[in-house]
Amino acid sequence: MPVTVVIGAQWGDEGKAKVIDLLAKDHSVVARYQGGHNAGHTVVVGTEKYALQLIPSGVFYGHVTPVIGNGVVVDLPTLFAEIDRLESRGISCTKLRVSSQAHLIFPWHQSHDAISEAIRGGDKIGTTLKGIGPAYADKARRTGIRAGEVLDPVRFAEVVRRVGKEQNALIAHLGGEQLDLDDVVTRFTKYAERLAPYVENTVDLLHDAVESGESVLLEGAQATFLDLDHGTYPYVTSSNPTAGGAVSGSGLGPRLIDRIVGITKAYTTRVGSGPFPTELTDDTGDRLVDIGREFGTVTGRRRRTGWVDCVMLRHAARVNSLTELALTKLDVLDDYDEIKVCVGYELDGRPLRGYPDRSEVLARVTPVYETIPGWKTVLGRCRSAADLPASARRFISVVEQQSGVPVRIVGVGPERDDVLMWDGGGR
Ligand code: GDP
Ligand code: IMO
Ligand code: MG
């Protein structure tokens, strides 16, 4: 079967890009289906490190057509800066295709993002301030401007000015700073001209690829617990990173998808506000930040850290129909004397069934842990399950048993080759 989806199983930054780069070798098309430049996807190729925000992580292979699907919100200044950066480093983006149905982000979306975070004050979401939520809100309000509109430049400029006027009135009402509309129209008219050759009916492109026997990889951004419906609302993003979003955000029907890979770190991180049951606010957590280099790719913010949470993974497995897990950053735990795996939650002293549907409840749960002795060995050179020390194998087995999903890929370092295929470790 032709379509694979890669989805974050936690709160983002699980190492999706590295796994996509690995899988892209065997795929013809790699398509983003939601989110925007709030994503920070890191791919390390040899000594070169690339941080991608909008361009799909398959771009490093000449045989791959990178696609920005209809479910993505596209910030044109970021897109072109990214293309220029990649091309100046010898990575061609000429095969890139952008869906005519993808919505565009405008400076007023960033203004609204900042205003609503300021209004929330101490209860802010901690967004990336990239205008993602407001752009999706305009899509839902049916006032958004789509990429296809750049194909008629005269009308595009008129629409940008008209919408910009309305947005300026709203911003004034909220006490924000007015945008210089002449400047916005001039800049975006130039961006529109540059975007036009990339615009395509990507729904047809993806179906044509599948029908001619090519394989398609759908690249999730953000993650299950940042999903607008299934995440820890309101501390979520404004799209659907979960498997349903892969369908609506690409236009490929669900029956075409046969492989759904959930990515999880061997621990957990979160950027921004919201409940986090296994969070470590002590030295143990600080060491995860230091060793795992847990600082945001996009905003540079320090990530919150904690133990791996199998209650989350079980829920991610359900919501996404995960067929397998990729367990990344196992090497970050190399030096720990003991490692904890959350296997359940208690609420008011009683075991809780399933994943709470309300953030208020999640904020009050107490994690139940299984403790595993650390392996105290450097895993960076391990290239097969047999190379792993017994306690690392045990850790992986516990994650598999507790999440109910087989682990297939294990990450032992940031580079392309720092990976091994897990075959059950002899089970
Ligand atoms: P994404 O948003 O899910 O694609 O993940 P990010 O790129 O934001 O963050 C993951 C970080 O972990 C990046 O810096 C990767 O280079 C790094 N990384 C990925 N897999 C591994 C791994 O197995 N071990 C280590 N040490 N680093 C990894
Ligand atoms: P990748 O694809 C981690 C978080 C923000 C904030 C919330 C809402 O690299 O895993 P938004 O700007 O989307 O409205 O912010 O979501 N967030 C991410 N956290 N990784 C990401 O992307 C994220 N994209 C958004 O920190 O808490
Ligand atoms: Mg990231």
Side-chain angles (χ1 to χ4, degrees), residues 13 40-41 297:
D13 305 321
H41 292 180
T297 321

Side-chain angles (χ1 to χ4, degrees), residues 12-16 38-42 52 296-298 303:
D13 305 321
E14 296 91 348
K16 296 178 289 293
N38 49 348
H41 292 180
T42 317
L52 305 170
T297 321
V298 173
R303 295 177 184 144

